[in-house]
Amino acid sequence: MMWLVTQIFLWIISFVATVNCQGGGGGGGGSAGIYGIFIVVIILPLYCCYQCCAGKPRRSNAKFVNKTTTNDEEKQIIDIKLFQSGQWESQYFQYSKWHGPYQIELSFDALQSKVTGSGLDDIGMYSIEGTYSTQSRRMGLTKTYQLGTGNRLENLGHTVTIQLEWNKYNNQFEGKWYVRTKKFKGAGDFKMNFDKRNQYMPVLSIYEKV
């Protein structure tokens, strides 16, 4: 917070200095003043907005999972094979490339609509907890890294918010990951699918009315 206040203060000083600066031909000061106003009115609010919102989802996991975007008929359909306990594969996009796939062990509690699990990726070991909905076909996960494992430069023992929705065309869950730490604020694409190699028979999409 103190860093942000310092940055705003420096922007204001820069603005005042720009406005008071007079050009050699008499017209320079006016254009400089307009430029300074542009910085304060346009750039500064955008900068503050970025600092506030970067790495943060628009909705909490609970609100994201329970928000239904399908029509009334589709709301009555539940795919009982989408949320299976066992090994899953995940990939995330960062630094202009995809990382993974990495295996995750997930367990779904149908009574409470909760999901827990654990895994290991190129950052380190982590635990998973979250919620899901068979109606909206969404998952909201919180990944918490175990400090001291994996990449010691990247692993800060931080948490990652992951919000996913089923894509029936690609046959996988797709969405975004969000991170806010002292060193990094950002988001990127994330995808995850059930690892069918551990099954004797392929999983078919089964629908039933409720």
Side-chain angles (χ1 to χ4, degrees):
M1 183 63 181
M2 183 60 67
W3 179 85
L4 179 58
V5 172
T6 302
Q7 291 296 318
I8 295 175
F9 180 71
L10 292 176
W11 275 100
I12 294 175
I13 292 178
S14 175
F15 165 68
V16 173
T18 302
V19 172
N20 290 334
C21 177
Q22 296 297 320
S31 61
I34 293 174
Y35 178 72
I37 293 174
F38 173 79
I39 291 177
V40 172
V41 175
I42 304 297
I43 304 299
L44 185 56
L46 291 176
Y47 174 79
C48 294
C49 181
Y50 170 79
Q51 290 296 323
C52 177
C53 301
K56 182 188 299 183
R58 292 187 301 169
R59 296 184 292 269
S60 67
N61 278 349
K63 290 183 178 180
F64 171 81
V65 166
N66 293 320
K67 182 176 177 60
T68 303
T69 58
T70 55
N71 58 43
D72 291 337
E73 182 178 354
E74 290 179 324
K75 288 180 182 178
Q76 304 302 317
I77 300 175
I78 293 179
D79 193 328
I80 62 176
K81 289 296 184 180
L82 288 186
F83 303 95
Q84 299 186 79
S85 297
Q87 282 194 343
W88 290 64
E89 288 187 339
S90 70
Q91 292 178 270
Y92 70 92
F93 192 83
Q94 188 179 23
Y95 306 133
S96 302
K97 67 177 183 179
W98 283 100
H99 300 253
Y102 302 107
Q103 289 190 334
I104 309 177
E105 189 75 22
L106 294 179
S107 177
F108 293 89
D109 185 337
L111 295 178
Q112 302 185 51
S113 295
K114 300 290 185 181
V115 55
T116 56
S118 60
L120 172 67
D121 58 21
D122 55 347
I123 304 299
M125 298 176 61
Y126 59 84
S127 61
I128 287 280
E129 62 178 18
T131 183
Y132 71 98
S133 170
T134 55
Q135 189 175 52
S136 66
R137 301 179 181 89
R138 289 183 171 188
M139 281 191 277
L141 308 175
T142 300
K143 174 195 289 188
T144 304
Y145 282 100
Q146 181 180 335
L147 189 63
T149 65
N151 188 328
R152 297 184 181 275
L153 295 178
E154 295 283 347
N155 187 353
L156 307 178
H158 58 286
T159 61
V160 182
T161 300
I162 303 170
Q163 297 183 344
L164 304 171
E165 184 173 14
W166 177 251
N167 186 325
K168 62 182 179 181
Y169 301 106
N170 294 333
N171 201 36
Q172 63 184 3
F173 284 91
E174 298 176 353
K176 295 284 187 180
W177 58 264
Y178 304 88
V179 169
R180 286 179 65 89
T181 69
K182 294 180 179 179
K183 294 184 177 181
F184 177 80
K185 298 181 181 68
D189 292 333
F190 194 99
K191 55 187 179 182
M192 187 169 69
N193 61 277
F194 188 72
D195 189 352
K196 299 178 182 179
R197 293 175 299 178
N198 297 319
Q199 294 183 317
Y200 294 104
M201 297 180 63
V203 176
L204 299 178
S205 183
I206 301 177
Y207 295 87
E208 66 178 15
K209 294 285 184 177
V210 294

